[in-house]
Amino acid sequence: MGQKLGIKLRDVITIVTYRTFRRWLNAGDPPPGEERSSKGGRPKTRVDVRALVLQMASENGWGFGRILGELKKLGIGIAKSTVKAILRENGFDTGPNRARGSWAEFVERHAKTLWACDFFQKKIWTTSGLVDYFVLFFIHVGSRRVFMAGMTTNPTGPWVTQQARNMAMIFPDEADEPTHLIRDNDPKFTSRFDAVFESENMEVVRTAIRAPNMNAHVERFLQSLQQECLDHFVVFGEDHFRHLINEYLTHYNGRRPHQGLDNRPLDGHSFELPTDWTHADLECTESLGGLLKSYRWKTAA
């Protein structure tokens, strides 16, 4: 038997057991010293089928079972293990993406037409002593532009409703018609406040209780306002308070780069690096006594 295979049986037995040698013969596998036939094994999956599996995974977040069913519906025969292998090889989880339809996806999907609002409270010095001031802000989620609707020491229902009307007059000038407004459960937001926006065909979306991350863009702006501006001042009177906020908004909505927008300023202005530049080619714009600074190339002025 060994001579028919071109090798001596005793040479094989010295390397493997006789049982292993017999298994080679029964399975059709060649013993050591012979090349394996290229005709055996499962054929490779077609390139276009692999591409279709990856397309379904990336576009829908489907797991292997859902993808397998969609392929079979199209008449494409493929093994379950093959679909799993394709997903793993390309960094996809074989299970479905249960996060589909999450809050993050809602915000991303409606960013261009999504607005959010919130109150900001600050104690300032007046002739009557320390007084709490309340400031109502609106932010366009897609562009990060911020509007100060108004400030007051007494945010009553009628006052809040009037600020809603004022903002509703601004919305028609937007390039993308607003469709949603996010707000928290602050009792200062009354049903009449909601009704103003609902009459403009906007849906008012209330966040869950104690879930500040659902209004993350507003929370992040208020943190920046506090840390970059208000923490550096003792505020005396409403005029001083209003001046600080307006100066910061000019900086924030114009010159300040934003990490969430690939470090671009909201005015969309970008600069090209001059050839053979030096520090003398830079100029600095300052406001609030040099607290807020922005740099630009003189050649771009």
Side-chain angles (χ1 to χ4, degrees):
M1 181 185 302
Q3 293 177 349
K4 291 181 179 181
L5 294 173
I7 60 174
K8 294 181 179 180
L9 181 60
R10 64 173 180 270
D11 294 336
V12 176
I13 299 302
T14 58
I15 301 173
V16 299
T17 64
Y18 179 73
R19 180 178 298 177
T20 300
F21 179 72
R22 294 293 304 177
R23 188 170 66 250
W24 286 344
L25 296 179
N26 294 335
D29 291 336
E34 292 189 5
E35 295 183 357
R36 180 180 298 272
S37 173
S38 61
K39 297 182 180 180
R42 181 179 296 172
K44 291 185 177 180
T45 307
R46 288 177 51 179
V47 174
D48 50 357
V49 174
R50 294 176 63 88
L52 187 55
V53 170
L54 297 177
Q55 178 184 351
M56 291 179 176
S58 61
E59 292 181 350
N60 306 285
W62 292 342
F64 78 91
R66 179 68 176 84
I67 294 174
L68 189 66
E70 194 72 14
L71 292 174
K72 288 186 175 180
K73 183 191 76 174
L74 297 172
I76 300 175
I78 187 172
K80 176 174 65 176
S81 59
T82 302
V83 175
K84 285 185 174 182
I86 294 172
L87 294 175
R88 291 195 187 101
E89 290 169 3
N90 291 273
F92 287 96
D93 192 344
T94 58
N97 181 4
R98 301 298 184 186
R100 301 286 302 179
S102 65
W103 179 256
E105 284 202 339
F106 166 80
V107 172
E108 182 179 359
R109 185 166 59 251
H110 296 285
K112 289 185 177 181
T113 61
L114 180 62
W115 288 74
C117 65
D118 201 1
F119 275 96
F120 172 68
Q121 183 177 351
K122 175 74 174 177
K123 290 183 179 294
I124 66 175
W125 285 100
T126 68
T127 55
S128 303
L130 278 174
V131 176
D132 283 318
Y133 267 76
F134 299 86
V135 184
L136 177 60
F137 286 96
F138 287 78
I139 183 170
H140 178 230
V141 173
S143 68
R144 307 295 202 277
R145 285 179 294 113
V146 175
F147 294 83
M148 182 179 68
M151 64 172 60
T152 182
T153 59
N154 186 23
T156 62
W159 183 89
V160 174
T161 302
Q162 183 58 49
Q163 309 317 306
R165 295 193 186 101
N166 295 342
M167 284 303 302
M169 295 175 64
I170 294 176
F171 287 158
D173 297 330
E174 293 297 307
D176 297 291
E177 182 179 356
T179 59
H180 297 79
L181 174 70
I182 302 173
R183 72 164 179 85
D184 61 18
N185 293 275
D186 192 320
K188 291 189 286 294
F189 294 121
T190 64
S191 58
R192 291 186 177 181
F193 175 88
D194 293 347
V196 171
F197 298 106
E198 290 168 352
S199 67
E200 300 293 328
N201 297 320
M202 293 179 65
E203 179 181 351
V204 178
V205 182
R206 298 173 61 177
T207 64
I209 298 176
R210 295 180 180 178
N213 287 338
M214 293 184 71
N215 210 354
H217 293 85
V218 166
E219 296 293 334
R220 184 64 182 89
F221 165 73
L222 294 179
Q223 180 183 349
S224 298
L225 171 65
Q226 187 70 49
Q227 294 178 349
E228 298 176 15
C229 179
L230 297 180
D231 282 350
H232 300 269
F233 295 93
V234 177
V235 185
F236 292 98
E238 180 178 326
D239 289 342
H240 187 204
F241 190 32
R242 190 179 297 274
H243 171 71
L244 293 175
I245 293 178
N246 286 336
E247 285 294 309
Y248 184 77
L249 286 181
T250 299
H251 173 75
Y252 183 91
N253 287 334
R255 302 180 296 267
R256 182 185 185 275
H258 293 263
Q259 295 181 2
L261 299 176
D262 196 24
N263 288 309
R264 291 181 289 104
L266 297 192
D267 62 7
H269 198 100
S270 59
F271 303 103
E272 293 185 2
L273 184 66
T275 305
D276 299 327
W277 65 273
T278 68
H279 286 90
D281 296 321
L282 278 171
E283 66 176 5
C284 178
T285 302
E286 298 182 355
S287 59
L288 295 181
L291 176 64
L292 304 177
K293 293 184 173 67
S294 176
Y295 299 88
R296 62 185 299 169
W297 299 112
K298 292 180 181 179
T299 56

